[in-house]
Protein backbone atom coordinates (compact mmCIF):
# COMPACT_ATOMS: atom_id res chain seq x y z
CA UNK A 1 0.00 0.00 0.00
CA UNK A 2 1.35 3.39 -0.99
CA UNK A 3 1.30 6.11 1.62
CA UNK A 4 1.95 9.70 0.66
CA UNK A 5 3.82 11.49 3.42
CA UNK A 6 4.26 15.25 3.50
CA UNK A 7 7.80 16.58 4.03
CA UNK A 8 8.10 18.33 7.39
CA UNK A 9 8.28 22.09 7.28
CA UNK A 10 11.09 22.23 9.82
CA UNK A 11 14.72 21.13 9.62
CA UNK A 12 16.43 18.98 12.25
CA UNK A 13 18.21 21.05 14.88
CA UNK A 14 21.77 22.00 14.00
CA UNK A 15 24.37 20.30 16.16
CA UNK A 16 26.39 22.95 17.92
CA UNK A 17 29.79 22.20 19.50
CA UNK A 18 30.00 22.83 23.20
CA UNK A 19 30.98 26.41 23.86
CA UNK A 20 33.68 25.47 26.33
CA UNK A 21 35.49 23.17 23.88
CA UNK A 22 38.52 24.12 21.83
CA UNK A 23 38.75 22.50 18.41
CA UNK A 24 42.13 22.58 16.69
CA UNK A 25 43.45 21.21 13.41
CA UNK A 26 47.24 20.93 13.40
CA UNK A 27 48.97 20.00 10.15
CA UNK A 28 52.44 18.50 10.48
CA UNK A 29 55.23 17.35 8.26
CA UNK A 30 58.18 15.31 9.42
CA UNK A 31 61.48 17.05 8.75
CA UNK A 32 63.47 13.89 9.42
CA UNK A 33 62.66 10.28 8.46
CA UNK A 34 60.16 8.16 10.39
CA UNK A 35 61.87 5.23 12.13
CA UNK A 36 59.68 2.21 12.89
CA UNK A 37 56.22 2.87 14.20
CA UNK A 38 54.72 -0.46 13.09
CA UNK A 39 53.70 -3.63 14.86
CA UNK A 40 57.10 -5.20 14.15
CA UNK A 41 60.10 -3.64 15.96
CA UNK A 42 62.08 -1.23 13.75
CA UNK A 43 59.59 -1.69 10.91
CA UNK A 44 57.33 1.07 9.56
CA UNK A 45 53.62 0.36 9.44
CA UNK A 46 52.44 -0.27 5.89
CA UNK A 47 48.91 0.97 6.60
CA UNK A 48 48.75 3.42 9.51
CA UNK A 49 51.98 5.40 9.55
CA UNK A 50 50.97 7.62 12.48
CA UNK A 51 48.36 6.57 15.05
CA UNK A 52 46.31 8.70 17.45
CA UNK A 53 47.01 6.26 20.30
CA UNK A 54 50.76 6.80 19.83
CA UNK A 55 50.33 10.58 19.88
CA UNK A 56 48.22 10.40 23.03
CA UNK A 57 51.00 8.48 24.78
CA UNK A 58 53.58 11.01 23.63
CA UNK A 59 51.48 13.93 24.83
CA UNK A 60 51.10 12.26 28.21
CA UNK A 61 54.91 12.03 28.46
CA UNK A 62 55.40 15.70 27.54
CA UNK A 63 52.60 16.76 29.90
CA UNK A 64 54.51 15.10 32.74
CA UNK A 65 57.71 16.75 31.49
CA UNK A 66 56.19 20.25 31.56
CA UNK A 67 53.46 20.16 34.24
CA UNK A 68 54.44 17.35 36.59
CA UNK A 69 56.38 19.53 39.01
CA UNK A 70 53.28 21.06 40.63
CA UNK A 71 52.26 17.91 42.53
CA UNK A 72 53.48 16.67 45.86
CA UNK A 73 53.74 13.01 44.94
CA UNK A 74 53.68 10.50 42.12
CA UNK A 75 50.12 9.48 43.04
CA UNK A 76 48.87 13.08 42.84
CA UNK A 77 50.55 13.55 39.48
CA UNK A 78 49.03 10.32 38.17
CA UNK A 79 45.53 11.37 39.25
CA UNK A 80 45.89 14.73 37.52
CA UNK A 81 47.24 13.04 34.38
CA UNK A 82 44.34 10.60 34.24
CA UNK A 83 41.82 13.41 34.69
CA UNK A 84 43.13 15.02 31.50
CA UNK A 85 44.35 12.15 29.34
CA UNK A 86 42.09 9.34 30.53
CA UNK A 87 42.43 6.04 32.38
CA UNK A 88 41.29 2.45 32.18
CA UNK A 89 37.73 1.94 33.31
CA UNK A 90 37.73 1.14 37.02
CA UNK A 91 36.03 2.25 40.19
CA UNK A 92 37.31 5.64 41.29
CA UNK A 93 38.97 6.31 37.92
CA UNK A 94 37.96 9.18 35.58
CA UNK A 95 37.61 6.89 32.56
CA UNK A 96 37.75 8.33 29.01
CA UNK A 97 40.00 11.27 28.26
CA UNK A 98 38.80 14.85 28.12
CA UNK A 99 41.07 15.25 25.08
CA UNK A 100 39.80 13.82 21.79
CA UNK A 101 42.39 13.02 19.09
CA UNK A 102 42.14 11.87 15.48
CA UNK A 103 44.81 11.55 12.81
CA UNK A 104 43.72 12.25 9.24
CA UNK A 105 45.22 12.85 5.81
CA UNK A 106 48.48 11.06 6.54
CA UNK A 107 50.91 10.65 3.70
CA UNK A 108 54.10 8.67 3.52
CA UNK A 109 56.79 9.31 0.97
CA UNK A 110 59.42 6.97 -0.36
CA UNK A 111 61.33 4.39 1.66
CA UNK A 112 64.99 5.21 2.40
CA UNK A 113 67.18 2.19 3.22
CA UNK A 114 70.27 3.39 5.16
CA UNK A 115 72.45 0.29 4.65
CA UNK A 116 73.41 -2.09 1.86
CA UNK A 117 75.24 -5.42 1.66
CA UNK A 118 77.93 -5.60 -1.04
CA UNK A 119 80.76 -7.87 -2.16
CA UNK A 120 84.32 -6.95 -1.31
CA UNK A 121 87.67 -8.33 -2.44
CA UNK A 122 88.33 -9.94 0.94
CA UNK A 123 84.85 -10.93 2.11
CA UNK A 124 81.71 -12.24 0.47
CA UNK A 125 79.41 -9.77 2.19
CA UNK A 126 80.16 -6.39 3.74
CA UNK A 127 77.59 -4.05 5.29
CA UNK A 128 78.08 -0.40 4.30
CA UNK A 129 76.09 2.81 4.62
CA UNK A 130 74.12 3.12 1.39
CA UNK A 131 75.20 5.89 -0.92
CA UNK A 132 72.31 8.24 -1.56
CA UNK A 133 70.64 7.71 1.81
CA UNK A 134 69.94 10.90 3.76
CA UNK A 135 70.09 9.04 7.08
CA UNK A 136 73.24 9.29 9.22
CA UNK A 137 74.36 5.67 9.61
CA UNK A 138 75.46 6.27 13.21
CA UNK A 139 71.89 7.17 14.19
CA UNK A 140 70.35 4.26 12.27
CA UNK A 141 72.61 1.49 13.60
CA UNK A 142 69.67 -0.71 14.81
CA UNK A 143 68.76 -1.20 11.14
CA UNK A 144 72.22 -2.56 10.32
CA UNK A 145 72.22 -6.36 9.86
CA UNK A 146 74.65 -8.45 11.85
CA UNK A 147 77.82 -9.09 9.94
CA UNK A 148 77.59 -12.87 10.30
CA UNK A 149 73.98 -12.88 9.01
CA UNK A 150 74.45 -10.50 6.07
CA UNK A 151 74.34 -11.67 2.46
CA UNK A 152 74.20 -9.83 -0.85
CA UNK A 153 70.64 -9.36 -2.02
CA UNK A 154 69.02 -9.57 1.44
CA UNK A 155 66.06 -7.29 2.09
CA UNK A 156 66.94 -4.57 4.58
CA UNK A 157 64.60 -2.37 6.64
CA UNK A 158 64.26 1.32 5.93
CA UNK A 159 62.66 4.55 7.08
CA UNK A 160 59.97 6.73 5.51
CA UNK A 161 60.74 10.18 4.15
CA UNK A 162 58.33 13.09 3.65
CA UNK A 163 55.64 11.91 6.07
CA UNK A 164 52.75 14.32 6.61
CA UNK A 165 49.59 14.11 8.69
CA UNK A 166 46.88 16.25 10.26
CA UNK A 167 45.96 16.04 13.94
CA UNK A 168 42.41 16.95 14.92
CA UNK A 169 42.28 17.64 18.65
CA UNK A 170 39.43 18.81 20.88
CA UNK A 171 39.71 19.65 24.57
CA UNK A 172 37.97 21.73 27.27
CA UNK A 173 39.00 25.38 27.48
CA UNK A 174 39.92 24.84 31.14
CA UNK A 175 42.61 22.38 29.99
CA UNK A 176 44.18 24.70 27.41
CA UNK A 177 47.41 25.41 29.31
CA UNK A 178 48.01 21.73 30.05
CA UNK A 179 47.26 20.53 26.53
CA UNK A 180 49.14 23.28 24.72
CA UNK A 181 52.18 22.83 26.99
CA UNK A 182 52.30 19.15 26.03
CA UNK A 183 51.78 19.95 22.35
CA UNK A 184 54.52 22.60 22.33
CA UNK A 185 57.06 20.35 24.05
CA UNK A 186 56.21 17.44 21.74
CA UNK A 187 56.54 19.62 18.64
CA UNK A 188 59.78 21.26 19.82
CA UNK A 189 61.69 18.40 21.45
CA UNK A 190 59.87 15.22 20.45
CA UNK A 191 58.56 13.42 17.38
CA UNK A 192 56.77 10.28 16.25
CA UNK A 193 57.99 6.73 15.78
CA UNK A 194 61.11 5.28 17.37
CA UNK A 195 64.50 6.87 18.18
CA UNK A 196 63.05 10.37 18.43
CA UNK A 197 65.78 11.34 20.94
CA UNK A 198 68.25 10.85 18.09
CA UNK A 199 66.18 13.02 15.80
CA UNK A 200 64.01 10.59 13.86
CA UNK A 201 60.40 11.63 13.25
CA UNK A 202 61.01 15.30 14.12
CA UNK A 203 57.92 17.48 13.65
CA UNK A 204 57.25 20.81 12.05
CA UNK A 205 53.88 22.45 12.66
CA UNK A 206 52.98 24.05 9.33
CA UNK A 207 49.35 25.07 9.90
CA UNK A 208 47.12 25.65 12.91
CA UNK A 209 43.36 26.21 12.73
CA UNK A 210 41.40 26.82 15.92
CA UNK A 211 37.60 26.83 15.90
CA UNK A 212 37.70 27.36 12.12
CA UNK A 213 40.07 30.34 12.41
CA UNK A 214 43.63 30.26 11.09
CA UNK A 215 46.31 30.93 13.68
CA UNK A 216 50.04 31.40 13.20
CA UNK A 217 52.06 28.44 14.48
CA UNK A 218 54.29 29.34 17.41
CA UNK A 219 57.78 29.16 15.92
CA UNK A 220 60.94 31.30 15.66
CA UNK A 221 61.33 33.14 12.37
CA UNK A 222 65.14 33.20 12.23
CA UNK A 223 67.98 31.11 13.72
CA UNK A 224 68.98 34.10 15.87
CA UNK A 225 65.59 33.97 17.63
CA UNK A 226 65.69 30.27 18.57
CA UNK A 227 67.38 30.47 21.99
CA UNK A 228 65.27 33.32 23.32
CA UNK A 229 62.10 31.74 21.87
CA UNK A 230 62.83 28.48 23.71
CA UNK A 231 63.64 30.24 26.99
CA UNK A 232 60.53 32.40 26.79
CA UNK A 233 58.24 29.47 25.98
CA UNK A 234 59.75 27.36 28.75
CA UNK A 235 58.78 30.10 31.20
CA UNK A 236 55.24 30.06 29.79
CA UNK A 237 54.61 26.31 29.81
CA UNK A 238 56.97 24.63 32.31
CA UNK A 239 55.92 24.90 35.93
CA UNK A 240 58.36 25.51 38.75
CA UNK A 241 58.31 22.79 41.34
CA UNK A 242 59.60 19.39 42.34
CA UNK A 243 59.02 16.43 40.05
CA UNK A 244 58.48 12.96 41.49
CA UNK A 245 61.62 10.85 41.47
CA UNK A 246 62.61 9.18 38.18
CA UNK A 247 60.29 11.37 36.03
CA UNK A 248 62.23 12.88 33.07
CA UNK A 249 61.29 16.51 32.63
CA UNK A 250 62.09 19.95 31.30
CA UNK A 251 62.92 22.93 33.46
CA UNK A 252 62.85 26.69 33.04
CA UNK A 253 66.66 26.50 33.22
CA UNK A 254 66.86 23.83 30.54
CA UNK A 255 70.36 22.99 29.33
CA UNK A 256 70.50 23.18 25.53
CA UNK A 257 72.66 24.35 22.65
CA UNK A 258 72.15 25.13 18.96
CA UNK A 259 74.34 24.69 15.93
CA UNK A 260 74.99 27.50 13.51
CA UNK A 261 72.27 27.98 10.86
CA UNK A 262 72.09 25.19 8.29
CA UNK A 263 70.52 25.16 4.85
CA UNK A 264 67.72 22.78 5.89
CA UNK A 265 66.57 20.39 8.61
CA UNK A 266 68.37 17.33 7.24
CA UNK A 267 71.69 19.19 7.14
CA UNK A 268 71.18 20.36 10.74
CA UNK A 269 70.36 16.82 11.86
CA UNK A 270 73.35 15.32 10.08
CA UNK A 271 75.61 17.91 11.72
CA UNK A 272 74.31 17.03 15.19
CA UNK A 273 74.67 13.27 14.73
CA UNK A 274 78.19 13.78 13.36
CA UNK A 275 79.13 15.72 16.49
CA UNK A 276 77.76 13.00 18.77
CA UNK A 277 79.60 10.30 16.85
CA UNK A 278 82.86 12.24 17.00
CA UNK A 279 82.45 12.89 20.73
CA UNK A 280 81.52 9.34 21.74
CA UNK A 281 84.13 7.67 19.53
CA UNK A 282 87.15 9.84 20.15
CA UNK A 283 90.28 7.85 19.41
CA UNK A 284 94.02 8.30 19.17
CA UNK A 285 93.68 7.78 15.41
CA UNK A 286 90.72 7.06 13.16
CA UNK A 287 90.90 3.35 13.91
CA UNK A 288 93.15 3.58 16.95
CA UNK A 289 92.70 3.14 20.67
CA UNK A 290 89.79 4.90 22.37
CA UNK A 291 90.47 7.89 24.59
CA UNK A 292 87.57 6.82 26.81
CA UNK A 293 88.40 4.57 29.81
CA UNK A 294 85.76 1.80 29.60
CA UNK A 295 87.71 -0.70 27.46
CA UNK A 296 90.75 -0.40 29.71
CA UNK A 297 88.61 -0.93 32.81
CA UNK A 298 87.31 -4.14 31.23
CA UNK A 299 90.87 -5.24 30.40
CA UNK A 300 92.05 -4.57 33.95
CA UNK A 301 89.13 -6.47 35.53
CA UNK A 302 89.81 -9.36 33.17
CA UNK A 303 93.40 -9.53 34.38
CA UNK A 304 94.92 -7.87 31.30
CA UNK A 305 97.08 -4.78 30.93
CA UNK A 306 95.46 -1.52 29.78
CA UNK A 307 96.35 -0.31 26.30
CA UNK A 308 97.35 3.32 25.83
CA UNK A 309 97.88 5.54 22.78
CA UNK A 310 101.63 5.87 22.14
CA UNK A 311 101.67 9.69 22.34
CA UNK A 312 100.45 9.81 25.97
CA UNK A 313 103.44 9.86 28.31
CA UNK A 314 101.77 9.50 31.73
CA UNK A 315 98.35 7.87 31.30
CA UNK A 316 96.15 7.18 34.29
CA UNK A 317 93.17 4.83 34.33
CA UNK A 318 89.91 6.40 35.52
CA UNK A 319 87.84 3.39 36.58
CA UNK A 320 84.52 4.73 35.39
CA UNK A 321 82.04 4.15 32.55
CA UNK A 322 81.09 7.79 31.80
CA UNK A 323 79.35 7.14 28.48
CA UNK A 324 76.51 5.44 30.37
CA UNK A 325 75.24 9.00 30.89
CA UNK A 326 74.08 8.87 27.24
CA UNK A 327 71.76 5.90 27.88
CA UNK A 328 71.84 2.10 28.14
CA UNK A 329 72.65 -0.56 27.11
CA UNK A 330 76.15 -0.13 25.70
CA UNK A 331 77.88 -3.05 24.00
CA UNK A 332 81.68 -3.06 24.03
CA UNK A 333 82.89 -5.20 21.12
CA UNK A 334 86.55 -6.13 21.64
CA UNK A 335 87.49 -8.73 18.98
CA UNK A 336 91.16 -7.66 18.82
CA UNK A 337 91.79 -8.48 22.49
CA UNK A 338 92.64 -12.12 21.82
CA UNK A 339 93.25 -13.01 25.46
CA UNK A 340 89.81 -11.97 26.67
CA UNK A 341 87.44 -14.89 27.26
CA UNK A 342 84.56 -12.86 25.82
CA UNK A 343 84.61 -10.51 22.85
CA UNK A 344 81.44 -8.65 23.84
CA UNK A 345 80.69 -6.95 27.16
CA UNK A 346 77.35 -5.25 27.84
CA UNK A 347 76.83 -2.37 30.25
CA UNK A 348 73.36 -2.49 31.82
CA UNK A 349 71.53 -1.64 35.01
CA UNK A 350 71.95 -3.97 37.97
CA UNK A 351 68.98 -6.24 38.77
CA UNK A 352 66.33 -5.35 41.30
CA UNK A 353 66.62 -7.04 44.69
CA UNK A 354 65.50 -10.69 44.56
CA UNK A 355 65.97 -10.74 40.77
CA UNK A 356 68.80 -11.91 38.55
CA UNK A 357 67.60 -10.07 35.43
CA UNK A 358 69.56 -6.87 34.67
CA UNK A 359 67.74 -3.67 33.75
CA UNK A 360 68.64 -3.56 30.08
CA UNK A 361 67.44 -0.06 29.17
CA UNK A 362 67.85 3.50 30.40
CA UNK A 363 66.61 6.20 28.03
CA UNK A 364 69.14 8.81 27.07
CA UNK A 365 68.58 12.26 28.61
CA UNK A 366 70.12 13.76 25.46
CA UNK A 367 67.76 14.86 22.68
CA UNK A 368 69.16 15.75 19.25
CA UNK A 369 66.88 17.09 16.53
CA UNK A 370 66.62 19.86 13.95
CA UNK A 371 64.37 22.88 14.34
CA UNK A 372 63.11 24.84 11.35
CA UNK A 373 63.30 28.61 11.65
CA UNK A 374 62.20 30.54 8.59
CA UNK A 375 64.06 29.40 5.49
CA UNK A 376 66.85 27.75 7.49
CA UNK A 377 67.25 25.30 10.35
CA UNK A 378 69.42 24.74 13.41
CA UNK A 379 70.43 21.58 15.20
CA UNK A 380 69.10 21.49 18.76
CA UNK A 381 70.80 19.50 21.55
CA UNK A 382 68.81 19.27 24.80
CA UNK A 383 69.55 17.55 28.11
CA UNK A 384 66.47 16.48 30.06
CA UNK A 385 66.40 16.44 33.83
CA UNK A 386 66.39 12.67 34.26
CA UNK A 387 67.91 9.79 36.26
CA UNK A 388 71.59 9.45 35.38
CA UNK A 389 71.85 5.83 36.49
CA UNK A 390 69.39 2.94 36.96
CA UNK A 391 68.00 2.68 40.52
CA UNK A 392 70.28 -0.22 41.56
CA UNK A 393 73.48 0.88 39.87
CA UNK A 394 75.36 -0.50 36.87
CA UNK A 395 77.11 -3.70 35.96
CA UNK A 396 78.94 -5.18 33.00
CA UNK A 397 77.77 -8.54 31.71
CA UNK A 398 80.78 -10.62 30.72
CA UNK A 399 83.00 -9.60 33.62
CA UNK A 400 83.80 -12.10 36.39
CA UNK A 401 81.49 -12.31 39.39
CA UNK A 402 82.53 -9.69 41.92
CA UNK A 403 83.96 -7.46 39.19
CA UNK A 404 80.72 -6.51 37.44
CA UNK A 405 79.68 -3.43 39.43
CA UNK A 406 80.82 -0.12 37.87
CA UNK A 407 80.19 3.61 38.30
CA UNK A 408 79.79 6.58 35.96
CA UNK A 409 80.46 9.67 38.09
CA UNK A 410 83.61 11.73 37.44
CA UNK A 411 85.48 14.25 39.55
CA UNK A 412 87.30 17.30 38.20
CA UNK A 413 90.56 15.42 38.75
CA UNK A 414 89.22 12.54 36.64
CA UNK A 415 88.23 14.92 33.85
CA UNK A 416 91.73 16.40 33.84
CA UNK A 417 93.50 13.04 33.65
CA UNK A 418 95.12 11.95 30.40
CA UNK A 419 93.79 10.72 28.05
CA UNK A 420 90.24 11.55 29.20
CA UNK A 421 91.15 15.23 29.35
CA UNK A 422 91.41 15.24 25.55
CA UNK A 423 87.74 14.30 25.35
CA UNK A 424 86.20 16.31 28.19
CA UNK A 425 88.55 19.32 28.42
CA UNK A 426 88.30 19.17 32.20
CA UNK A 427 84.47 19.09 32.36
CA UNK A 428 83.35 16.22 34.68
CA UNK A 429 79.71 16.36 33.50
CA UNK A 430 79.76 14.30 30.30
CA UNK A 431 76.56 15.72 28.80
CA UNK A 432 77.72 19.27 29.55
CA UNK A 433 81.05 18.51 27.87
CA UNK A 434 79.14 17.37 24.79
CA UNK A 435 76.94 20.49 24.73
CA UNK A 436 80.11 22.60 24.65
CA UNK A 437 81.06 20.97 21.32
CA UNK A 438 77.84 22.07 19.58
CA UNK A 439 78.42 25.75 18.71
CA UNK A 440 80.86 25.98 15.78
Amino acid sequence: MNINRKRPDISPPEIQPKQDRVRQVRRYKLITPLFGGGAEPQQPDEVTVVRASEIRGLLRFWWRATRGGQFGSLDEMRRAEEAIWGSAAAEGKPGPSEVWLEVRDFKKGQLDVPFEVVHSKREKAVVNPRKGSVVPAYAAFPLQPKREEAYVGMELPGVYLDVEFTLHITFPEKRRQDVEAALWAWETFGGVGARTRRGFGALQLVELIENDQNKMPNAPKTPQQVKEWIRQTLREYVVKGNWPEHIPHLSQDLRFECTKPQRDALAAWQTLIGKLQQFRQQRHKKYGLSLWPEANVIRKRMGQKPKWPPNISSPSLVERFPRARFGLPIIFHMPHDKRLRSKDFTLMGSPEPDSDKPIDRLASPLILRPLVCGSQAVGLAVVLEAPQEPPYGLEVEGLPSGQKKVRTDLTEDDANTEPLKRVLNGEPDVTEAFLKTIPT
Side-chain angles (χ1 to χ4, degrees), residues 281-300:
Q281 296 186 345
Q282 285 211 48
R283 299 177 182 276
H284 166 58
K285 295 180 181 178
K286 184 176 181 180
Y287 300 107
L289 292 168
S290 174
L291 299 180
W292 292 91
E294 295 94 343
N296 272 336
V297 176
I298 290 173
R299 292 183 184 108
K300 179 181 177 181

Side-chain angles (χ1 to χ4, degrees), residues 133-345:
S133 173
V134 302
V135 181
Y138 185 71
F141 78 90
L143 300 180
Q144 184 174 356
K146 294 181 179 179
R147 182 176 177 180
E148 61 272 17
E149 298 175 356
Y151 59 89
V152 176
M154 72 183 298
E155 185 176 351
L156 297 177
V159 294
Y160 278 125
L161 305 179
D162 304 319
V163 173
E164 298 180 9
F165 66 96
T166 300
L167 177 66
H168 292 247
I169 181 168
T170 303
F171 53 88
E173 177 64 41
K174 67 180 181 179
R175 300 297 190 188
R176 180 186 288 273
Q177 190 75 357
D178 288 288
V179 173
E180 292 194 341
L183 284 164
W184 171 78
W186 173 54
E187 294 161 359
T188 306
F189 306 116
V192 293
R195 292 189 65 74
T196 57
R197 295 197 186 189
R198 292 298 172 263
F200 284 96
L203 299 155
Q204 180 186 3
L205 176 63
V206 294
E207 185 179 34
L208 172 58
I209 299 172
E210 180 175 313
N211 296 339
D212 301 322
Q213 300 294 318
N214 279 296
K215 296 182 67 176
M216 290 293 293
N218 180 19
K221 301 298 187 293
T222 67
Q224 292 72 28
Q225 295 176 351
V226 170
K227 284 191 173 182
E228 182 52 37
W229 174 77
I230 290 177
R231 292 190 184 103
Q232 179 181 343
T233 320
L234 286 168
R235 291 192 293 269
E236 179 180 354
Y237 286 132
V238 179
V239 299
K240 285 188 175 182
N242 296 313
W243 269 258
E245 191 176 8
H246 306 308
I247 299 296
H249 60 273
L250 302 171
S251 74
Q252 293 191 6
D253 300 317
L254 182 70
R255 290 190 293 148
F256 69 95
E257 267 297 349
C258 301
T259 66
K260 284 187 175 181
Q262 308 285 315
R263 66 180 183 274
D264 56 34
L266 286 175
W269 181 44
Q270 291 160 354
T271 296
L272 275 177
I273 298 301
K275 286 181 175 294
L276 180 64
Q277 181 177 8
Q278 182 181 13
F279 184 79
R280 287 196 58 169
Q281 296 186 345
Q282 285 211 48
R283 299 177 182 276
H284 166 58
K285 295 180 181 178
K286 184 176 181 180
Y287 300 107
L289 292 168
S290 174
L291 299 180
W292 292 91
E294 295 94 343
N296 272 336
V297 176
I298 290 173
R299 292 183 184 108
K300 179 181 177 181
R301 296 195 179 189
M302 292 293 290
Q304 306 299 315
K305 291 183 178 180
K307 296 181 179 180
W308 302 106
N311 64 335
I312 297 177
S313 57
S314 300
S316 180
L317 180 57
V318 175
E319 290 205 43
R320 295 290 187 270
F321 280 65
R323 283 180 286 182
R325 296 295 174 94
F326 289 114
L328 297 173
I330 302 177
I331 298 174
F332 298 93
H333 187 54
M334 304 173 68
H336 302 298
D337 287 75
K338 305 299 183 184
R339 301 179 67 182
L340 296 181
R341 293 193 298 272
S342 173
K343 304 304 177 186
D344 288 328
F345 300 84

Side-chain angles (χ1 to χ4, degrees), residues 298 301-302 341-348 395-401 403-404:
I298 290 173
R301 296 195 179 189
M302 292 293 290
R341 293 193 298 272
S342 173
K343 304 304 177 186
D344 288 328
F345 300 84
T346 305
L347 179 64
M348 295 185 289
E395 62 181 47
V396 179
E397 290 297 303
L399 288 179
S401 179
Q403 295 288 327
K404 292 185 176 184

